[in-house]
Amino acid sequence: MKKVLSLILCMAIVLYTCGLFADAAVPKSERTVTVFPDGSYCITTITVEPSEAVATMASMKTKTATKAQEVYSATNNLLYTAYVRGTFQYDGNTSIATAAQYSYKITDSTWSFVSGSATHTNATAIAVCKFHATIAGDRTATVRLSCAPDGTLS
């Protein structure tokens, strides 16, 4: 009976541990949708990268995430996506952005990339990407990723 209970306990520990590691390897994401008056819309997704468990100081934690802004036409065609990738340090009382990068993806051939930049200030990483289409003209996507002192991203 003790062997059976020990075996069940060992299996439970192994399954629990595997579940934790599997969960840690999967990026966490959050999605919101914004609809514009012309029927076009934007889907914004924040994806948190798995933690590497590197402590920068005794109490500071580091978090890296990407915020994507996918822009769709009123006919549900994905036009382009602008991204900001930010790295943050936080400790429960304060937070700060330590790095920011921009990137983009053109999905609709009528659109082209014009320019882009990324900056970080206080606890926010900011990407500004300018796109152009012959009919629609220029559009600028400003993507802001902020980190609260408790590590919550928005």
Side-chain angles (χ1 to χ4, degrees):
M1 181 68 172
K2 285 184 180 181
K3 286 183 181 182
V4 172
L5 288 176
S6 294
L7 181 62
I8 292 172
L9 181 59
C10 286
M11 292 297 289
I13 290 171
V14 168
L15 292 174
Y16 178 75
T17 304
C18 290
L20 284 180
F21 290 126
D23 188 47
V26 177
K28 307 292 184 212
S29 62
E30 175 184 318
R31 183 175 281 204
T32 59
V33 178
T34 304
V35 180
F36 302 111
D38 67 354
S40 63
Y41 59 97
C42 172
I43 297 176
T44 303
T45 306
I46 298 174
T47 304
V48 180
E49 295 179 14
S51 173
E52 296 177 14
V54 176
T56 55
M57 289 193 234
S59 62
M60 295 295 280
K61 297 176 186 170
T62 300
K63 183 178 279 191
T64 301
T66 301
K67 189 171 190 177
Q69 194 176 81
E70 298 175 317
V71 177
Y72 290 82
S73 69
T75 57
N76 300 319
N77 293 322
L78 177 60
L79 305 175
Y80 55 83
T81 307
Y83 303 90
V84 65
R85 181 177 186 262
T87 301
F88 305 91
Q89 292 181 348
Y90 61 98
D91 65 1
N93 295 314
T94 187
S95 60
I96 186 167
T98 59
Q101 298 173 308
Y102 82 90
S103 59
Y104 67 92
K105 182 178 178 183
I106 302 290
T107 311
D108 185 300
S109 62
T110 62
W111 286 87
S112 61
F113 178 74
V114 177
S115 64
S117 64
T119 59
H120 58 85
T121 179
N122 299 324
T124 304
I126 305 164
V128 178
C129 296
K130 187 174 181 180
F131 299 93
H132 176 79
T134 304
I135 295 173
D138 290 340
R139 287 196 191 165
T140 300
T142 302
V143 189
R144 289 180 171 84
L145 178 60
S146 298
C147 182
D150 66 356
T152 303
L153 297 168
S154 60

